[in-house]
Amino acid sequence: MALLERLQDRSAKVGVIGLGYVGLSLVREFARAGYRIIGVDIDESKIRQLQDGKSYVMDVPSEEIGKWIETGQLEVASDYDRVRDMDCVSICVPTPLRAKSKDPDLSYVLDAVVAIREHLHRSQLVILESTTFPGTTTEVIQPILEESGLVAGRDFYLAFSPERVDPGNSSYRTRNIPKIVGGVSAECVRHAEALYENCLEQVVAVSSTDVAEMVKLLENTFRTVNIGLVNEFALLCSKLNIDVWEVIEAASTKPFGFMPFYPGPGLGGHCIPVDPHYLSWKAKVNGFHPKLIDAAVQVNQEMPGHIVRRVREVLKPLKKELRGSKILIVGVAYKRNTDDVRESPAIEIIELLKQEGAEVGFSDPFVAQLSENGTRLSSRPLDEDALAGADCVLIVTDHSSVDYELVARHAAVVVDTRNALKDIPGEHIHRL
Ligand code: SAJ
């Protein structure tokens, strides 16, 4: 039976490469739609946890994983051989940046694609979901897969569909986030649509993989640039002694043409600080210099340094220097109510404070340990001792569960980078 029919009647065996927060969220929707799934991840510990019915992703419950494994609906493996049994393969591996050059690092994608090539078979559907620069699917992946002798659009199907998972967002899950799909040919799009239409509420086909790749970059670069704008506003407002938070709140009353963003200690996560670099890199290799995007990236990158200067400023009237001062950081995750510390600005802020000779500790209800420059810091309980024992309390992430009244009551001085203490008065509270 043709793949299209097997996708439509859900008898097709779907594969997911990369079982992180994106891959596992996709597995969940495939499972709910009734597909049989083969999940592959090179991290053996992930495979073991899944086989034991344990989840390591906040949004995918262990009970569901246990049920899929028990019923045999989900099989997981750490080797790519299982690709040969897949009718379609969704690639959900990381696309980070190279540490030094900040250039795109497609090594995880290339490893997966080279492995898939070894097992690629006729009428298989391959879909890349990882965020990347426009041209990746047709200029990088397609040639590698066609080294198998099979031709995309004729012998197998090749598409790009950007992941839009927002970890911890209970209103928008993979199922009800519209799914963008672009293909190497009309047939490729058609097959990718048939797969997703069975498990997601809305599928939006675009005219090419380049467009689909660019859609995701626009979405996230839009955020980076607007966060950069509001961070610059914060720096300007503090020069003019204007409360930027009040300005944003009042501007938000405009019912059209405005979308609030909020200043902060810098950009964290695996998307927003990364994606604009993928775009910039592609632009520059094509002789285009994205001035505005680069400027916004720079503003955001300078925020950790600004926060450290702010701490130094508030200690001065107390005749204290950073050197020898005890700084307690409240919240180190990259954004509120998540345990993810990837690219968190807190890490750079800790490094900078330590370079100035400060003694730094942290308290985060979601993060038990943090490794920074090779040393491991453990989260302290947020209690009166910890707060009163610090020369300055620095709020970097505004988790909802933190008792901010307690912080304001016992801290000698607070630098609040998230307006977490917005309704709490106090001369000792200093906002961005
Ligand atoms: N941030 C600010 N000010 C803001 C918003 C965010 O400083 O006004 C900071 C956050 O603290 C964080 C970083 O920017 O450090 C990124 O925050 P984010 O809210 O953009 O959250 P992410 O990184 O989880 O972005 C994801 C993205 N989802 C995908 O790429 C699939 C993004 O497209 C979503 O719009 C975003 O979640 C979301 O809306 O939550």
Side-chain angles (χ1 to χ4, degrees), residues 271-406:
C271 310
I272 307 307
V274 172
D275 299 353
H277 288 280
Y278 270 71
L279 185 67
S280 253
W281 177 83
K282 183 70 178 179
K284 285 167 188 163
V285 296
N286 282 274
F288 181 84
H289 181 61
K291 294 187 290 292
L292 177 65
I293 296 169
D294 285 357
V297 165
Q298 195 183 344
V299 168
N300 291 324
Q301 284 175 343
E302 287 169 359
M303 289 313 284
H306 172 72
I307 300 302
V308 171
R309 284 190 294 279
R310 203 80 179 84
V311 174
R312 180 189 290 117
E313 272 165 24
V314 304
L315 286 173
K316 220 173 250 165
L318 309 173
K319 305 270 181 282
K320 290 178 180 173
E321 302 287 327
L322 278 177
R323 182 164 301 285
S325 287
K326 288 190 176 65
I327 313 293
L328 177 68
I329 293 182
V330 174
V332 293
Y334 84 86
K335 72 174 183 179
R336 75 166 72 102
N337 305 336
T338 174
D339 59 0
D340 198 337
V341 292
R342 275 179 290 189
E343 304 286 326
S344 172
I347 296 170
E348 185 177 349
I349 289 171
I350 292 170
E351 272 166 20
L352 294 172
L353 285 169
K354 286 173 120 178
Q355 280 167 17
E356 298 285 340
E359 201 182 306
V360 189
F362 82 90
S363 179
D364 187 311
F366 290 88
V367 180
Q369 288 215 317
L370 187 68
S371 57
E372 169 272 318
N373 247 351
T375 52
R376 288 190 79 70
L377 286 172
S378 299
S379 177
R380 297 191 53 177
L382 190 66
D383 54 27
E384 187 177 335
D385 287 351
L387 291 162
D391 295 299
C392 174
V393 171
L394 171 57
I395 298 174
V396 172
T397 310
D398 51 335
H399 294 307
S400 313
S401 61
V402 167
D403 180 350
Y404 292 108
E405 296 280 351
L406 183 82

Side-chain angles (χ1 to χ4, degrees), residues 230-241:
V230 82
N231 278 333
E232 186 152 87
F233 251 73
L235 298 176
L236 176 56
C237 283
S238 105
K239 276 262 182 280
L240 304 176
N241 208 12

